[in-house]
Amino acid sequence: MNDLRWIDVLLVEDDPGDVLLTREAFELNKVRNKLHVVNDGEQAMAFLRKEGDYAGVPRPDLILLDLNLPRKDGREVLQDIKADDSLRRIPVVVLTTSESEEDILRSYNLHANAYVSKPVDFDQFINVVRRIDDFFVTVVKLPSSDPDY
């Protein structure tokens, strides 16, 4: 397990409770990855484009994206990410409370890499975050975080 690389994860989430749960899930599961958090869609795009206060941030290897965000909706963020040549290869997991078939279809049509409904139960939420981490760190080969590749 020592040969696993650490990854930078961008959590785009406006609910402080869900941010706290995700942080706790990372800690409880001893997830080594670096969790970065932004609270709305405009901040997400500024982070990804390294604009303003985000000029020195690392490029995330994985994005956990809520759909219902202030200022710029998660669906718009997903569309912008997948339309941008320098960002489109970053895997995006939609992690949201919505179980709407319309949201699921639209997310996949916008090229989300996965769609996960947030469980309301704490233990199940912890398990979901652990499984996402396990999958993207131990199973999946992620592209280089260098945007020039």
Side-chain angles (χ1 to χ4, degrees):
M1 195 148 180
N2 291 339
D3 61 339
L4 296 178
R5 72 182 187 102
W6 292 27
I7 65 171
D8 285 286
V9 178
L10 176 61
L11 173 64
V12 186
E13 174 61 67
D14 65 314
D15 183 320
D18 286 347
V19 170
L20 182 61
L21 279 177
T22 305
R23 285 190 192 282
E24 287 182 15
F26 269 56
E27 290 172 16
L28 285 172
N29 292 318
K30 302 196 180 356
V31 173
R32 315 179 298 166
N33 302 324
K34 175 73 174 150
L35 184 65
H36 306 271
V37 180
V38 293
N39 305 112
D40 66 51
E42 287 185 8
Q43 288 178 357
M45 294 313 299
F47 186 102
L48 292 167
R49 293 181 174 139
K50 300 182 178 204
E51 298 170 344
D53 292 341
Y54 304 107
V57 299
R59 178 187 173 92
D61 299 291
L62 175 65
I63 300 168
L64 303 178
L65 176 66
D66 188 22
L67 291 182
N68 302 309
L69 298 168
R71 298 179 64 202
K72 186 180 192 93
D73 184 80
R75 295 157 195 86
E76 295 173 272
V77 172
L78 179 59
Q79 184 172 354
D80 288 353
I81 291 168
K82 296 304 181 175
D84 186 315
D85 287 340
S86 67
L87 302 174
R88 71 170 36 129
R89 288 178 296 176
I90 302 171
V92 177
V93 175
V94 172
L95 183 60
T96 188
T97 54
S98 174
E99 294 185 19
S100 155
E101 188 67 22
E102 180 181 337
D103 282 339
I104 295 167
L105 286 172
R106 184 162 179 212
S107 294
Y108 282 116
N109 284 339
L110 292 171
H111 306 288
N113 297 85
Y115 189 101
V116 179
S117 294
K118 291 180 198 170
V120 291
D121 177 78
F122 175 76
D123 291 331
Q124 289 178 349
F125 188 90
I126 298 295
N127 190 39
V128 163
V129 171
R130 180 186 55 77
R131 286 179 176 206
I132 291 170
D133 179 69
D134 283 348
F135 183 70
F136 280 96
V137 174
T138 63
V139 177
V140 172
K141 285 293 264 180
L142 294 172
S144 167
S145 59
D146 183 346
D148 294 330
Y149 275 102

